[in-house]
Amino acid sequence: MKKRYFSVLLTLAAAISITTCNGTSEMSDKTSLTIMGRKSDMQKSYMTSIFDQYQKSTGTMLDIIAIEDADFETEATEKFAHGDVPDVFMHFHNADLERFDVSDNFYYLNNESWVSDLTDRSRDYCLDSKGNLLGLPFWESSVSGCYYNKTLLNSLGLKPATTQAEFDFLCQALAEIGYTPICWPEDGCTWMFQLGLDPVFADDPSLLDKLNKNEITYSDIPEVTNMVKWIKNAADKGWFGSDYLKKDWSDISTDMGSGDAVMTFIWDTWFYTDFEQGNKYSVDDFALMPIFMNTVDGGTYEGGNLNMMMVNKNSDRLKTALEFLSFCATDKNYNIAFDGISTVNCFKGQTTNIQSQMVTDAGASIAENERASTAASRIIGYSADDVAAAFGSMFNKDTDVSGCVKLMDDYRIKKAKTQGADGF
């Protein structure tokens, strides 16, 4: 899953009870609603806003079980194993969600009145492989794509790409005149690979189904090998620069702001949360085009990874939990919560959030080429760290293209077996 969410360390409203993973709430009774999530997630300004609004409006108290981020998956899994399942559980739709026995624990929200107000991209993110809506996407959203320095390209007489061939030509032209075409932070950054894989499985659900039943492997899918081969060739040709193996998260801002690198595969909110000011180039110098990794000719964008509010279907307070989600999904309430927040709309009625000009300008291209985040959320056993490790072996010349694909399969299958997935 992408590392795109920054912590806004605000104090929760005094009326809200916070329980850490080692604490015990004093509010867990029949008049309160329990909500479990990561501590930093629960402290987002839009979350504290909606919590406070709900309590003041309904009189129902919220018992916020805020687990320390580093311990969240382990602590929450243990709580579920002991039957300590909250009324509302907040989680991203990624591989770790498999820990929580979704079908047995959570209520499908397909028929809730607010579903029609969800944007297509936010709704699609929250669907399982059978089309069931798992949660309410109440979160900041973004668009991942290839963000490029339009000022620099214009000065060089070069244009953004609309096909894989055009993108390859652009990268080669930039490399030949001394620029790093793509800032690729290989040291510790792992989200890039899923961006190339998304269209492979989003465009052909049958492949995803067969992969998740262990009927086929990555090695059986030519597009996966095509992507691995393209990335290796890009690295070998210098399109990532000479020291990409040492580049990390902190280098993206420096390289993009100085103009040393011209493009990077990232998301719009990064420019408002992590892009350092005072460099040669500012956010106004950048624009957006699709990502090209040789898996789909027209390129792709990835929709946002969203925290979902999921409802415990076995809860004695099921009706109240569903009413809480309806409150969160009401335009008056979510517009107060997201006022001034930089995010792509999750709801059709959102009007108070701020949308990136880069995303607005690329609207037609995004509408044509965007896919819901698919690889990280729907491939059983997918781990961004494992995929990065497989590529790391190839970059370090410990294996070749086919060996990298095999490692991706080996790691994925091992994790699927650990998760107890059917067919593995």
Side-chain angles (χ1 to χ4, degrees), residues 36-276:
M36 182 185 292
R38 291 175 180 79
K39 186 175 182 180
S40 66
D41 292 350
M42 300 295 95
Q43 293 174 332
K44 296 285 189 180
S45 61
Y46 42 87
M47 298 306 302
T48 61
S49 172
I50 202 68
F51 293 158
D52 192 38
Q53 287 184 67
Y54 176 77
Q55 292 184 124
K56 289 179 179 178
S57 177
T58 67
T60 300
M61 304 306 291
L62 298 177
D63 177 9
I64 307 300
I65 305 169
I67 301 177
E68 293 290 346
D69 291 19
D71 302 322
F72 177 73
E73 300 296 346
T74 301
E75 294 285 346
T77 301
E78 290 178 358
K79 287 178 179 292
F80 273 64
H82 290 90
D84 188 8
V85 182
D87 302 314
V88 177
F89 183 58
M90 293 199 66
H91 201 285
F92 292 92
H93 192 185
N94 57 28
D96 284 323
L97 187 59
E98 295 297 324
R99 298 168 179 251
F100 300 99
D101 199 352
V102 173
S103 60
D104 284 346
N105 283 317
F106 298 111
Y107 185 88
Y108 294 143
L109 302 164
N110 307 335
N111 299 317
E112 295 303 294
S113 60
W114 42 262
V115 173
S116 61
D117 190 37
L118 297 179
T119 62
D120 290 343
R121 65 173 63 128
S122 63
R123 178 181 177 275
D124 288 348
Y125 176 81
C126 299
L127 297 177
D128 67 10
S129 60
K130 296 180 180 178
N132 294 306
L133 187 65
L134 302 181
L136 171 70
F138 197 88
W139 202 242
E140 60 195 84
S141 187
S142 58
V143 175
S144 292
C146 180
Y147 287 84
Y148 66 95
N149 190 324
K150 64 181 180 182
T151 302
L152 188 51
L153 282 193
N154 287 338
S155 71
L156 297 171
L158 296 170
K159 296 180 180 180
T162 59
T163 67
Q164 184 69 52
E166 290 178 1
F167 186 73
D168 290 351
F169 172 82
L170 177 61
C171 289
Q172 188 60 35
L174 288 167
E176 288 177 356
I177 56 178
Y179 289 95
T180 296
I182 304 168
C183 177
W184 185 279
E186 175 62 20
D187 184 10
C189 296
T190 62
W191 67 81
M192 299 85 74
F193 310 103
Q194 72 191 51
L195 304 178
L197 289 172
D198 278 348
V200 177
F201 299 101
D203 294 357
D204 190 348
S206 67
L207 281 180
L208 180 65
D209 185 57
K210 290 176 183 177
L211 189 74
N212 283 340
K213 289 179 179 178
N214 204 24
E215 295 174 355
I216 62 173
T217 64
Y218 287 141
S219 298
D220 298 314
I221 303 172
E223 292 87 352
V224 175
T225 297
N226 289 345
M227 184 189 83
V228 177
K229 187 180 296 183
W230 183 87
I231 292 174
K232 181 181 186 301
N233 288 340
D236 291 344
K237 292 176 180 178
W239 293 358
F240 300 158
S242 60
D243 56 353
Y244 71 99
L245 293 176
K246 298 178 181 179
K247 297 289 184 180
D248 61 20
W249 174 260
S250 64
D251 292 306
I252 309 174
S253 182
T254 301
D255 288 3
M256 297 302 291
S258 66
D260 289 344
V262 182
M263 301 177 284
T264 194
F265 300 158
I266 208 157
W267 44 92
D268 58 302
T269 54
W270 175 85
F271 283 91
Y272 303 95
T273 60
D274 293 272
F275 187 44
E276 296 176 2

Side-chain angles (χ1 to χ4, degrees), residues 254-326:
T254 301
D255 288 3
M256 297 302 291
S258 66
D260 289 344
V262 182
M263 301 177 284
T264 194
F265 300 158
I266 208 157
W267 44 92
D268 58 302
T269 54
W270 175 85
F271 283 91
Y272 303 95
T273 60
D274 293 272
F275 187 44
E276 296 176 2
Q277 303 302 310
N279 289 308
K280 181 177 181 179
Y281 296 101
S282 70
V283 64
D284 295 332
D285 292 301
F286 291 88
L288 173 61
M289 64 176 156
I291 288 168
F292 295 93
M293 286 197 229
N294 206 30
T295 54
V296 59
D297 188 58
T300 188
Y301 302 94
E302 183 198 36
N305 290 282
L306 306 171
N307 220 335
M308 306 182 296
M309 293 181 176
M310 306 173 69
V311 172
N312 175 6
K313 70 178 184 180
N314 305 307
S315 170
D316 293 337
R317 296 179 288 270
L318 174 61
K319 182 174 182 291
T320 303
L322 292 174
E323 289 172 347
F324 169 70
L325 262 63
S326 293

